[in-house]
Amino acid sequence: MNNFFTRKFHRFFRQNETKLHILNYLFWECTWRCNLQCRHCGSDCKAGSLYPDMPFEDFLKAIQPLKTAYPRNSILVVIMGGEPLVRKDLAECGKQLRDEGFRWGIVTNGYAYNEATHAKLVSAGMGSITVSLDGLEENHNWLRSNPKSFERAVKALELIVDCPRLNYDVVTCVHPKNLAELPELKEFLISKKIKNWRIFTIAPIGRAAENPEMMLTGEQLRQLMDFIAETRKNDPRINLYFSCESYTGEYEKRVRDSYFFCRAGINIGSVLIDGSISACPNIDRHFAQGNIYQDDLLDVWKNRFDVMRNRTWCKTGICNDCRNFKNCKGGAMHLWTPEKNCISACVKHSMSR
Ligand code: SF4
Ligand code: SF4
């Protein structure tokens, strides 16, 4: 199929997915506590959090109505934080989710992931895990502000690659300091038998908003896109792809498996630490559509979220005159403020400046 037809097909597919808005992923922001203090953290969480951990019973009660609307095992609950491994009851929460007919996984910095944790979580039915590795040792430890964080994250990777029933990916956030070492990092990951590698860049949200030097320039973004495209084309040893964070224009077909599609509020929902019901957890919290302590989660999912399902309002600012709008629909929801301002240009736009 040529480009014209694949794009047309994709627009039709996106329209249909939006109309159906089947919930596939539900993030649970179970804690704001964290055992690290990363420089780029999107949620700006701290060791002593503003919010107490959400009691598991509250979350479990909130998701009960989903069981009436969706087949057993069709929803993946992604437990994240903060750092989910700081919760002592994580395996018990996971086991109960599995018993209730939800698949579950975690997003972790890997720091507290050891043999005992691994055995406990896998026996509790954990099916997926995402571990962050943000460069080789010096760069990873710099970004994570901890001298042991690389060693610990690599240990976590060694444990998970040897577990065939776990779906996993390694995520690397790229910034000016680690861009040049990506080829070396790739060889390192391959030496550790890693097959799935996802790359993203830093958005100016959370703690990263105070560190503008971590954003890539247009030229650096182009270098990054070239690295991903080249690896995908010529290196079958690893499956590398660019995260769903931004539309990339001419690189779309070369840096990911399918065209950019922000699925926030379409297939992705979340329950945040204070009970707010939203989509991806890094979206501005003012976009929350309800709260589990007042509203029925299923009703909110079915009947609200118009702001994410109808993105015509994004046709403003740089998106207003953009000829890619019909393919992109204003890009990543996490880059918009409730005042309808885009907080950062998309990759496509940044590369052309
Ligand atoms: S400027 Fe807006 S519409 Fe155009 S590609 Fe970027 S995010 Fe998409
Ligand atoms: S809000 Fe961002 S992370 Fe979430 S689906 Fe959209 S682009 Fe992806």
Side-chain angles (χ1 to χ4, degrees), residues 25-166:
Y25 295 93
L26 182 66
F27 284 95
W28 177 33
E29 192 181 46
C30 69
T31 182
W32 257 26
R33 291 183 295 134
C34 189
N35 46 12
L36 294 177
Q37 274 262 319
C38 309
R39 291 172 197 263
H40 65 308
C41 183
S43 54
D44 200 11
C45 46
K46 297 180 174 62
S49 160
L50 282 178
Y51 292 99
D53 294 2
M54 180 183 287
F56 178 62
E57 303 70 48
D58 297 1
F59 178 70
L60 190 61
K61 186 171 166 208
I63 62 177
Q64 291 307 307
L66 300 177
K67 290 175 13 185
T68 62
Y70 295 103
R72 199 173 164 84
N73 297 330
S74 67
I75 296 177
L76 174 68
V77 174
V78 183
I79 308 180
M80 42 92 61
E83 167 54 48
L85 292 176
V86 301
R87 273 186 81 122
K88 296 269 180 289
D89 63 347
L90 184 63
E92 289 72 31
C93 300
K95 170 145 190 356
Q96 199 151 349
L97 284 172
R98 204 74 198 94
D99 292 346
E100 298 268 338
F102 294 92
R103 292 177 293 127
W104 71 280
I106 62 170
V107 179
T108 175
N109 59 38
Y111 191 77
Y113 200 90
N114 54 29
E115 281 88 351
T117 323
H118 177 68
K120 212 167 156 190
L121 297 179
V122 171
S123 344
M126 180 173 74
S128 70
I129 181 165
T130 294
V131 180
S132 302
L133 197 74
D134 296 319
L136 295 168
E137 186 156 12
E138 191 182 332
N139 268 325
H140 178 90
N141 289 346
W142 171 78
L143 194 70
R144 301 272 155 187
S145 310
N146 184 298
K148 292 262 176 231
S149 57
F150 178 83
E151 183 188 315
R152 301 268 196 113
V154 170
K155 176 76 191 159
L157 296 181
E158 287 167 353
L159 289 165
I160 63 178
V161 288
D162 281 337
C163 182
R165 51 163 278 214
L166 265 183

Side-chain angles (χ1 to χ4, degrees), residues 2 7-8 11 15 51 82 101 109 114 116 135 155 163 185 199 202 222-223 238 256 267 287 336 341:
N2 69 26
R7 284 195 185 278
K8 204 166 168 171
R11 289 198 291 273
Q15 207 175 9
Y51 292 99
N109 59 38
N114 54 29
K155 176 76 191 159
C163 182
L185 180 60
I199 276 182
I202 298 178
R222 194 169 284 281
Q223 276 176 40
I238 196 160
R256 43 170 77 104
N267 308 107
F287 282 115
W336 287 91
N341 294 317

Side-chain angles (χ1 to χ4, degrees), residues 263-326:
R263 291 177 179 268
I266 293 166
N267 308 107
I268 304 173
S270 66
V271 173
L272 304 180
I273 189 74
D274 62 348
S276 296
I277 301 168
S278 189
C280 298
N282 50 355
I283 290 176
D284 188 296
R285 284 164 194 253
H286 293 95
F287 282 115
Q289 301 293 299
N291 191 295
I292 58 161
Y293 294 110
Q294 282 122 40
D295 304 301
D296 179 290
L297 175 57
L298 179 61
D299 180 57
V300 171
W301 178 258
K302 281 194 161 164
N303 299 312
R304 300 188 196 170
F305 285 93
D306 192 50
V307 70
M308 297 176 210
R309 293 170 190 166
N310 178 356
R311 297 281 297 273
T312 46
W313 61 270
C314 293
K315 204 151 179 32
T316 177
I318 55 170
C319 298
N320 190 37
D321 304 320
C322 177
R323 63 191 179 90
N324 291 281
F325 189 85
K326 68 178 177 198

